[in-house]
Amino acid sequence: MRFIRHHWFGMITGLIIFAFFSLFILILLSPRQDMLRRGFIPCTEEFVEEIVICKKNKVWCLLKSSAKNSWCDFKVVGYGIAKWVKGEQNYPWSNYIFIPQLPEDEDFNEEARAEYLKNNANFSIEMEELKKINKELEDESNQQEPKSEDKPQ
């Protein structure tokens, strides 16, 4: 009991720092894009909207928005733990660490890519040859440039 009386402030501060660091790591590991807007994505979108709106009292508005975002992120983690306890998901982190569903790129032509790979199966060999030619050209240009010692004064 004496230990707790002497070190209560450090223990509380340590727990808070550990909680925020853990949340930081979880957010770092989670996907940033998802068509279904799962995980921390809705919190982040709301945070960005609030930051854009902040005009008066910018410092207080930003601090308030940041605190609200952190609380939203903690709620996402708590929601995942609650769903795990109820048996609705396999792991406590399944609602924020997942394989995202990304929208298909409309500009990407899969048929053209397949055609290119069929016609140019050895593109890695071609890249090595291009690097070799580039190195030779650099060596030639370095040999042609006069050194500062060779220049007349």
Side-chain angles (χ1 to χ4, degrees), residues 1 29 32 62 68 77 98 100 130-131 136:
M1 192 65 171
L29 294 174
R32 284 137 188 81
L62 291 174
K68 188 175 178 184
V77 173
F98 52 87
L130 287 172
K131 287 180 183 178
E136 290 172 1

Side-chain angles (χ1 to χ4, degrees), residues 60-74:
W60 292 114
C61 182
L62 291 174
L63 287 174
K64 182 179 166 186
S65 300
S66 180
K68 188 175 178 184
N69 182 54
S70 296
W71 180 248
C72 181
D73 292 339
F74 277 116

Side-chain angles (χ1 to χ4, degrees), residues 17-117:
I17 290 172
F18 176 75
F20 277 96
F21 183 72
S22 299
L23 184 65
F24 172 75
I25 296 297
L26 291 175
I27 292 171
L28 195 64
L29 294 174
S30 70
R32 284 137 188 81
Q33 278 187 322
D34 186 40
M35 286 182 57
L36 302 176
R37 297 182 64 233
R38 297 176 287 178
F40 301 109
I41 296 170
C43 296
T44 305
E45 289 174 353
E46 184 178 330
F47 181 53
V48 170
E49 289 173 5
E50 287 182 10
I51 287 177
V52 170
I53 293 172
C54 285
K55 292 190 180 173
K56 293 182 181 177
N57 299 326
K58 288 184 181 180
V59 174
W60 292 114
C61 182
L62 291 174
L63 287 174
K64 182 179 166 186
S65 300
S66 180
K68 188 175 178 184
N69 182 54
S70 296
W71 180 248
C72 181
D73 292 339
F74 277 116
K75 287 195 309 188
V76 169
V77 173
Y79 181 68
I81 292 170
K83 284 181 72 173
W84 175 65
V85 168
K86 291 178 185 176
E88 295 176 9
Q89 61 187 30
N90 295 334
Y91 305 103
W93 54 84
S94 294
N95 66 320
Y96 49 86
I97 297 178
F98 52 87
I99 298 172
Q101 292 182 359
L102 300 174
E104 292 185 23
D105 189 3
E106 297 169 357
D107 298 331
F108 187 73
N109 188 350
E110 187 65 40
E111 294 172 2
R113 178 180 174 268
E115 180 76 22
Y116 175 79
L117 290 176

